[in-house]
Amino acid sequence: MGAAPTPHSRVVSLLAQALPLVAQDHPAYAALEEAHRVAAGLDSYLDDHSSPLIVPSTHAVHEKDVRQVWEDLLAATDAEDWQKRKEEGTTTYALNSGMCSGNYEASVIQQIALAAKSTRVLEIGLFTGTTTLALGLLPNIEEVVALDVEPYLETFDRPFWKRAGVSDKIQTLIAPATDSLRQLKSEGHPAFDLVFIDADKPSYKEYVSLLLELDLLTPEGIILADNTLYKALPWADWSRPDEDARNAGSNNKSVGEATQGIIDFNQFVRNDERLTAVVLPVRDGVTVIRRKI
Ligand SMILES: C[S@@+](CC[C@H](N)C(=O)[O-])C[C@H]1O[C@@H](n2cnc3c(N)ncnc32)[C@H](O)[C@@H]1O
């Protein structure tokens, strides 16, 4: 399974569907063909002109070996039969390789963590731990606490983190994230200065509320919330819901609930008196959230 749809990939796909239906001598053809070239080339241009994953020269494991682990982790994520894992009961939910944030987004998050000099990171929604690994590589980051509901992911991810020399920095808590947040608070865990929210969309609002109410975010801490443009569904529904939702790797019900969760979350963040936010059109949308200054 490939990458999950983004607003941009939907445009590319729609233009690719429309283009062969328009005769080359039609007045609209040239504009349509140009629009397709512009849109279809963007993602690879971004990839080609952004540095690869940052591997510090001081890192204990050689850069070449870390890059190999990274490639192996992405390949293993793709190769895993997630549907079978669900059917045999190894995972509770149907995960899919499209959940993985991938190269470009990991680089964006690394750059933000470096610029902000983040030290303690909380990741809500771990999956195969690519972002976790990318953040663990940065020398300024002392610890990454990663929350997920699936015990299998700890088993799957840990060997890659060990090979990459970041395992000692990473702690996983396997439970519903709201429980883990309360546990971190009750254990007196210090507040985090970077939080990456990338789990079940209907709970995003609760995660941010809890982070603030439980004082788990430092005063200048940054929250990054992923998928806040959610396949463009908050403002542009599919034209063929069944087929498109299937291609998105989810059923209609969960896509509908996730869309509503993101709509509510985006409104909440925009209107909350405590917060300031900017939505970046990185892949499926990343919102950068801070307390108001
Ligand atoms: C999109 S994936 C995370 C991707 C990962 N952050 C990355 O960068 O590749 C979402 C993850 O959230 C987890 N998840 C879903 N609901 C959760 C919940 N209530 N509490 C904790 N984790 C949850 C899923 O098991 C899944 O692994």
Side-chain angles (χ1 to χ4, degrees):
M1 167 165 213
T6 64
H8 183 72
S9 74
R10 273 181 73 188
V11 171
V12 174
S13 158
L14 291 166
L15 288 169
Q17 287 168 44
L19 200 53
L21 306 177
V22 179
Q24 293 199 10
D25 57 357
H26 190 282
Y29 182 83
L32 199 55
E33 189 277 333
E34 183 180 332
H36 180 253
R37 265 188 296 120
V38 170
L42 180 67
D43 277 350
S44 53
Y45 195 86
L46 292 175
D47 287 338
D48 292 348
H49 295 84
S50 301
S51 304
L53 190 77
I54 296 167
V55 182
S57 56
T58 51
H59 189 61
V61 177
H62 193 278
E63 176 180 344
K64 184 169 73 58
D65 297 325
V66 174
R67 294 203 184 286
Q68 188 58 55
V69 178
W70 179 256
E71 292 306 321
D72 291 349
L73 177 52
L74 293 176
T77 302
D78 253 346
E80 182 78 6
D81 189 341
W82 296 105
Q83 188 56 37
K84 183 162 161 248
R85 294 292 179 210
K86 159 96 171 66
E87 281 160 16
E88 70 195 14
T90 308
T91 62
T92 307
Y93 298 98
L95 305 173
N96 67 75
S97 62
M99 290 179 157
C100 175
S101 294
N103 275 308
Y104 176 74
E105 192 169 345
S107 292
V108 171
I109 294 171
Q110 276 191 320
Q111 292 285 359
I112 291 172
L114 276 175
K117 299 185 170 58
S118 309
T119 57
R120 283 181 208 288
V121 181
L122 177 68
E123 184 181 24
I124 305 181
L126 162 68
F127 192 43
T128 53
T130 45
T131 307
T132 333
L133 192 161
L135 288 167
L137 287 169
L138 302 181
N140 48 302
I141 288 180
E142 293 162 17
E143 68 161 343
V144 184
V145 177
L147 315 183
D148 209 286
V149 273
E150 300 284 3
Y152 177 63
L153 295 175
E154 160 69 37
T155 316
F156 183 97
D157 300 359
R158 186 66 68 183
F160 293 97
W161 297 335
K162 284 191 175 146
R163 281 175 57 203
V166 296
S167 180
D168 290 349
K169 285 189 187 178
I170 300 171
Q171 182 198 353
T172 58
L173 294 179
I174 304 297
T178 48
D179 294 352
S180 296
L181 290 172
R182 291 195 176 90
Q183 182 190 330
L184 286 163
K185 177 66 183 173
S186 70
E187 289 172 353
H189 195 283
F192 297 91
D193 48 17
L194 181 65
V195 180
F196 180 45
I197 302 180
D198 189 15
D200 50 325
K201 312 308 163 200
S203 302
Y204 272 30
K205 185 176 155 189
E206 190 175 8
Y207 295 148
V208 169
S209 300
L210 278 175
L211 286 165
L212 297 175
E213 282 152 25
L214 300 176
D215 270 328
L216 285 171
L217 183 72
T218 60
E220 301 200 330
I222 296 172
I223 299 173
L224 303 175
D226 200 16
N227 306 107
T228 48
L229 296 178
Y230 202 61
K231 314 173 200 299
L233 291 173
W235 69 93
D237 204 354
W238 313 115
S239 47
R240 296 158 306 156
D242 290 344
E243 186 180 331
D244 285 320
R246 256 202 314 280
N247 292 339
S250 308
N251 60 36
N252 274 343
K253 181 163 173 280
S254 68
V255 169
E257 286 171 357
T259 304
Q260 194 55 51
I262 290 295
I263 290 170
D264 295 345
F265 175 73
N266 288 341
Q267 288 287 351
F268 160 73
V269 168
R270 178 69 184 82
N271 295 329
D272 193 289
E273 283 302 319
R274 300 165 293 181
L275 301 174
T276 173
V278 61
V279 186
L280 304 179
V282 171
R283 295 290 194 236
D284 201 27
V286 174
T287 301
V288 183
I289 305 164
R290 298 171 52 108
R291 286 195 180 84
K292 270 191 184 149
I293 52 172

